[in-house]
Amino acid sequence: MQQVNRSDPAPSRLRYRMQRLMLTPVYRRLLRVGLPLAIVLGGGALWVSQPENLDRIKLTWSDLVAQVQERPEFMVKLMAVDGASDKVAERVRAQLAVDFPISSFDLDLDTMRKTVADLPAVKSARLHIRQGGVLQVAVVERVPRMLWRSEAGLVLLDEEGVAVGPATDRAAHPDLAVMAGEGADKVVPEAIALIEAAQPIKARLRGLARRGERRWDVVLDRGQRIMLPETGAVRALERAIAMDDAVDLFARDLEAVDLRLPQRPTLRMTDNAAQELRRIKKIEAGDQG
């Protein structure tokens, strides 16, 4: 009787599948690259997780950053302030207080620009670092347009009513008109318009007075005033100047020209003029006493 060999040379199903899996490109790449990489990353993570190793990395990184940032081409050695007067330039330097030399990486230009722009005499500012390690500060100053006589004294105001700084002496600013009164600093554009409209009587103009935070009085020499309405003040002043051109209104013995009611202007005479007028009327009436 013939004996049957029961050993099967064919692989088992599991072994067959493993062999097929080993032949796939993805699995082979995973074993060749992915597994070593995972081992390296895992070991690196374990090493970094140690506090002393992490501190060593931070220190090394800080030293590397410092070596790059402190290279000569990145160092700022001085500051140049353009567009500002000597006094404002000194204030800018004092406000920034930069300790040179300093790395350009340590300068927050946006914050520094805001610091300069917050100065009362500065309208706007622009900062940049130019070649040669120079911090360039370009300043646009506020130009004084009016002198405001406030409770704190004389104050210089620009065209927007922003305080530029104190004025120690009126004579130091002969080209600026003076205004007074509470709230006058809030309506500087209107005050400037009135000053420009008053150019024909500039020689006699002494300033503007804000009344009740509602309207203006134009103050002339000899104590005369032009009392303007709350609205249409510039037009009312131009009307008063036209009356002066026609009949020499301000040359008369008047105390005030009241234009608060546009349809009913009123002339207020001085006491001497009023007494003289009463005397003339009595003479005309035949009363000699």
Side-chain angles (χ1 to χ4, degrees):
M1 186 175 181
Q2 186 177 1
Q3 186 176 2
V4 180
N5 186 6
R6 296 183 177 275
S7 60
D8 188 357
S12 66
R13 182 175 299 178
L14 177 61
R15 186 177 181 185
Y16 173 76
R17 290 182 177 178
M18 289 297 297
Q19 289 177 352
R20 294 291 298 175
L21 183 63
M22 290 293 293
L23 292 176
T24 58
V26 174
Y27 191 78
R28 293 172 64 183
R29 190 177 296 112
L30 182 63
L31 289 178
R32 189 174 59 216
V33 179
L35 184 60
L37 182 61
I39 294 175
V40 171
L41 291 178
L46 180 63
W47 186 82
V48 171
S49 64
Q50 302 299 319
E52 60 273 12
N53 295 332
L54 183 59
D55 292 341
R56 189 178 301 131
I57 292 175
K58 291 180 179 179
L59 181 60
T60 303
W61 176 255
S62 299
D63 291 342
L64 180 61
V65 170
Q67 290 177 11
V68 173
Q69 293 182 352
E70 294 177 3
R71 290 179 62 87
E73 57 267 31
F74 297 132
M75 296 301 292
V76 180
K77 304 175 184 65
L78 55 90
M79 180 192 306
V81 181
D82 293 337
S85 62
D86 293 341
K87 289 184 178 180
V88 174
E90 290 178 4
R91 293 174 187 170
V92 169
R93 296 177 187 278
Q95 194 73 11
L96 293 179
V98 181
D99 187 14
F100 296 106
I102 186 173
S103 173
S104 58
F105 291 95
D106 294 331
L107 296 176
D108 187 346
L109 296 184
D110 189 55
T111 300
M112 295 171 69
R113 181 195 61 79
K114 293 178 181 178
T115 300
V116 175
D118 286 341
L119 291 172
V122 176
K123 187 174 184 179
S124 63
R126 184 171 55 88
L127 279 75
H128 69 277
I129 298 173
R130 72 185 191 195
Q131 282 186 331
V134 179
L135 174 61
Q136 186 75 47
V137 183
V139 172
V140 177
E141 280 195 54
R142 294 188 179 276
V143 179
R145 293 294 304 275
M146 297 291 294
L147 273 171
W148 178 37
R149 192 178 298 279
S150 66
E151 294 181 355
L154 282 174
V155 180
L156 293 166
L157 302 179
D158 74 345
E159 60 184 5
E160 299 175 355
V162 178
V164 176
T168 55
D169 187 6
R170 169 71 182 95
H173 305 277
D175 55 327
L176 299 181
V178 180
M179 62 180 187
E182 187 175 354
D185 58 321
K186 297 180 177 62
V187 284
V188 171
E190 185 179 23
I192 293 174
L194 288 172
I195 294 299
E196 292 175 350
Q199 289 304 305
I201 56 174
K202 181 180 179 180
R204 297 195 54 195
L205 183 65
R206 292 296 175 267
L208 303 175
R210 189 68 173 167
R211 311 295 292 181
E213 298 189 53
R214 296 179 296 106
R215 63 171 197 85
W216 294 100
D217 279 359
V218 178
V219 182
L220 306 178
D221 59 1
R222 295 169 43 204
Q224 291 181 330
R225 287 180 177 248
I226 305 173
M227 305 169 69
L228 301 176
E230 295 182 30
T231 59
V234 173
R235 181 175 298 181
L237 177 58
E238 291 173 344
R239 182 183 176 189
I241 293 175
M243 294 168 60
D244 179 61
D245 289 339
V247 296
D248 287 333
L249 181 64
F250 301 139
R252 301 174 183 273
D253 200 4
L254 297 175
E255 181 178 301
V257 178
D258 190 345
L259 302 176
R260 288 177 292 178
L261 298 176
Q263 305 302 325
R264 189 179 175 183
T266 303
L267 304 181
R268 186 183 303 170
M269 295 182 295
T270 62
D271 292 340
N272 291 336
Q275 292 176 6
E276 182 65 18
L277 180 59
R278 286 194 292 268
R279 189 181 69 81
I280 293 173
K281 287 183 177 180
K282 287 181 180 181
I283 293 175
E284 291 177 350
D287 183 359
Q288 301 297 326

